[in-house]
Amino acid sequence: MRVAWQTVAAALAPVWLHAATTSAEKSAVHVLTDAGFDAWSDAQELALVEFYAPWCVYCQALAPSYERAAAALEQYGVKLAKVDCTEEQSLCEEMDINGYPTLKVVVNGDYVAYNGTREESGIVNYMRRHQEPPLPAVPAKGLGKFKDSAEVAVVGYFGSRAPEFGVLEEVARELRDEYSFGYVDDKGLAKIQGVPVPGIAVYKDGGEADIFTGKLTTESVVKFVRATSVPVLGELSSQTFGNYIRAGIPIGLIFYNTDEMRNGLESQLAGLAREFKRSVSLAFVDARIYAKHARMLDLKLQWPAFAIQDVVRRTKYLLPSTAAVSETELRQFVGKFAEGRLQPDFKSEAIPQRNDGDVFTLVAKQFNEVVFDRTKDVLVLLYAPWCIHCNRMAPAYEELGRSLRSHRNLIVAKMDATANDIPGSDADLNVPGYPTIVLVRANDNRIVKYHGDRSVASFTDFLRQHAAHGLGVSEVSHPEAAAAQPAYTEVHSRNVGFTPKETRHIEL
């Protein structure tokens, strides 16, 4: 019986090897390394690059669809490529890769986020759509249908040779995954629409136009389109949360728990919402569904309640529970915010009475004081107590703290990111998942993200390479107290936002 099985295995082995080799030879996915990355990227009119790790189960699940999509797109001149971030760590750090897999679209060397699905058809359709003109002509007779068919429609009133066309085309190229873009070369129609020529108008649900009046730059038009894409005094929900995030404007959250309460507040605050719409997007939030979000903001669960949340700067401003949610109080509160006269509120644990352990325990109240001390390198672990990967890594991190405790210019620290907000707006302090580890260097306070495995040896090598004061320690022991293949619990909130009956972690 053993002989028979060995014979069968021997006979099949060449077949397996041949199949694997043939598959590799026929792969339509290009393998990129740091050496040729820039040259390859600059040569692509349109391409897609996956940044992955071989051990990542999501990358493994994506691989067959990605391979088929690459083969399907070859005939259209669209290339798909991949970068192994375990081999090309410096490149992936430069590309700001925080999780796997990360997909990015490249156009003539410029990289932008991929916003499509991960199925073969989704990848193919998304890339094919990006081969079409980002700013198509809209026939005069078809303008009404164009506006009505899109939740948000951006229309340029000028010809294709006008200098404004190039600006709006760049904006459309950046935002066409979010909004519909077109241009109309008809002065008579522009006059009927009440839009100057040349001009740009944003229509929401086919309604009245918001007309751009600022200095015409790509940046200013992007900001205008996003800001005007959300309704004045709308409703924040799982369906609309992404729109508010993309608008990039702080959100004034008005929590209510009865329809009668909402109706009364709407009649009071409509004028205020219009007046401050460029500074704060006022929106209602149903506390019967999203009370957890109020709790996360540290609001008292009494209704109505109000807070301003600036997702871009990761700050929040709470209307005191002793103040009434009224037109008078909110006008004063929102007005102070618009003028920059409000101080943000941060959730924080109490400062520990004793903090003499091997790993320093950080809380929000002392975060800036400790982390941005220019005399010290500070390694910060941002974790969640319930995160299994954080718990598995903990012994190695504690051992690192013990090993380096004698270094006076280095602090090995940790902070519970579920119990403490992270003060400041530096994007490098975002928490895409747990655990997140960053080094804040001495002298220049530059933030360096850690992407290695979770062993004492890897932590030490990272500090030796990046710490401003260096280490100069060859005697540090390196017990393998953590798995060599890192994993983390991903934070989904930036893409998901509100979910029914709960609010996932939103980074403040």
Side-chain angles (χ1 to χ4, degrees):
M1 189 68 177
R2 182 181 300 173
V3 174
W5 169 246
Q6 289 174 340
T7 302
V8 172
L12 288 177
V15 177
W16 293 336
L17 291 172
H18 174 72
T21 303
T22 302
S23 176
E25 290 173 351
K26 289 184 177 180
S27 175
V29 178
H30 298 260
V31 177
L32 301 180
T33 63
D34 192 13
F37 184 81
D38 289 340
W40 184 90
S41 300
D42 290 341
Q44 308 307 311
E45 291 186 8
L46 179 67
L48 182 65
V49 180
E50 175 198 7
F51 297 86
Y52 76 101
W55 47 260
C56 167
V57 293
Y58 302 109
C59 303
Q60 294 165 13
L62 170 63
S65 296
Y66 197 71
E67 184 68 50
R68 291 192 297 269
L73 286 167
E74 274 188 317
Q75 62 180 308
Y76 302 110
V78 178
K79 295 179 180 178
L80 269 61
K82 61 183 179 181
V83 175
D84 182 348
C85 288
T86 64
E87 296 291 335
E88 308 294 337
Q89 292 187 19
S90 296
L91 173 59
C92 292
E93 185 173 326
E94 181 183 337
M95 294 299 294
D96 197 27
I97 306 304
N98 296 313
Y100 309 119
T102 293
L103 299 176
K104 293 195 175 188
V105 177
V106 56
V107 179
N108 298 320
D110 294 326
Y111 278 81
V112 296
Y114 169 83
N115 295 313
T117 65
R118 294 180 182 178
E119 295 83 24
E120 175 192 353
S121 60
I123 295 171
V124 171
N125 292 336
Y126 184 90
M127 300 305 289
R128 289 285 290 137
R129 188 166 66 250
H130 276 250
Q131 285 187 304
E132 299 172 356
L135 187 61
V138 177
K141 292 182 179 180
L143 179 62
K145 182 178 180 182
F146 178 76
K147 292 192 302 180
D148 293 340
S149 63
E151 184 176 337
V152 177
V154 184
V155 180
Y157 289 89
F158 38 67
S160 59
R161 294 184 179 181
E164 292 80 8
F165 180 91
V167 174
L168 190 57
E169 185 180 41
E170 283 301 310
V171 174
R173 187 172 284 113
E174 180 178 344
L175 301 181
R176 62 177 164 184
D177 293 336
E178 303 168 31
Y179 315 112
S180 295
F181 287 84
Y183 77 96
V184 176
D185 189 4
D186 190 317
K187 293 182 180 180
L189 183 57
K191 185 176 181 179
I192 293 172
Q193 293 289 318
V195 182
V197 177
I200 298 171
V202 177
Y203 301 91
K204 295 187 291 289
D205 296 319
E208 293 184 2
D210 281 303
I211 301 171
F212 177 77
T213 57
K215 183 179 179 180
L216 191 69
T217 65
T218 301
E219 183 180 358
S220 64
V221 176
V222 166
K223 186 176 181 180
F224 173 78
V225 170
R226 282 190 163 143
T228 55
S229 66
V230 295
V232 175
L233 203 57
E235 185 81 15
L236 204 60
S237 68
S238 57
Q239 289 75 37
T240 63
F241 185 72
N243 296 334
Y244 282 90
I245 294 298
R246 287 190 291 269
I249 296 178
I251 310 168
L253 303 147
I254 309 164
F255 288 89
Y256 67 93
N257 68 339
T258 68
D259 294 342
E260 182 181 6
M261 181 185 293
R262 187 196 188 286
N263 294 336
L265 289 169
E266 186 171 21
S267 62
Q268 282 189 60
L269 303 177
L272 181 70
R274 284 190 293 271
E275 181 179 341
F276 286 97
K277 69 178 183 178
R278 294 290 182 263
S279 303
V280 180
S281 291
L282 295 186
F284 287 104
V285 184
D286 191 338
R288 294 167 293 190
I289 303 174
Y290 302 116
K292 191 173 182 180
H293 188 64
R295 189 181 299 113
M296 188 207 71
L297 291 170
D298 278 348
L299 281 171
K300 287 189 176 181
L301 302 187
Q302 57 188 41
W303 321 116
F306 181 79
I308 297 174
Q309 182 177 4
D310 189 335
V311 178
V312 175
R313 293 179 175 82
R314 294 185 293 119
T315 53
K316 61 187 179 184
Y317 306 79
L318 311 183
L319 181 72
S321 58
T322 54
V325 180
S326 65
E327 195 274 345
T328 302
E329 291 284 358
L330 292 197
R331 178 174 295 279
Q332 183 179 16
F333 189 77
V334 175
K336 286 182 178 180
F337 172 81
E339 295 169 1
R341 294 193 292 123
L342 283 185
Q343 293 298 315
D345 295 286
F346 291 107
K347 178 172 63 176
S348 179
E349 295 178 293
I351 297 175
Q353 293 184 353
R354 294 187 61 184
N355 212 338
D356 53 2
D358 296 320
V359 175
F360 188 90
T361 300
L362 269 176
V363 297
K365 289 179 180 178
Q366 60 180 173
F367 187 90
N368 288 337
E369 175 189 351
V370 174
V371 171
F372 293 105
D373 180 350
R374 290 181 179 271
T375 68
K376 293 181 173 61
D377 293 296
V378 184
L379 186 69
V380 183
L381 162 66
L382 301 168
Y383 72 96
W386 43 259
C387 167
I388 187 171
H389 308 300
C390 304
N391 295 330
R392 288 175 178 170
M393 188 197 72
Y397 200 74
E398 291 288 337
E399 175 61 25
L400 177 74
R402 278 193 295 275
S403 299
L404 301 178
R405 188 164 182 170
S406 62
H407 291 263
R408 296 182 178 180
N409 293 323
L410 171 69
I411 295 177
V412 178
K414 64 181 180 181
M415 187 171 83
D416 180 353
T418 67
N420 297 273
D421 292 333
I422 301 173
S425 58
D426 197 308
D428 288 328
L429 290 175
N430 284 344
V431 182
Y434 300 117
T436 289
I437 302 172
V438 298
L439 170 68
V440 181
R441 285 167 45 92
N443 302 330
D444 59 10
N445 277 169
R446 184 164 62 88
I447 299 171
V448 185
K449 295 183 178 181
Y450 178 78
H451 294 293
D453 66 56
R454 298 192 185 129
S455 64
V456 178
S458 184
F459 291 144
T460 305
D461 290 342
F462 172 78
L463 290 171
R464 225 183 244 119
Q465 180 180 355
H466 296 289
H469 291 298
L471 288 183
V473 287
S474 57
E475 71 278 5
V476 177
S477 60
H478 301 318
E480 296 304 317
Q485 294 182 344
Y488 68 28
T489 302
E490 186 177 2
V491 174
H492 299 282
S493 60
R494 281 182 296 177
N495 297 325
V496 178
F498 281 30
T499 55
K501 298 297 182 184
E502 68 168 317
T503 302
R504 303 190 184 193
H505 176 76
I506 295 174
E507 297 168 86
L508 297 171

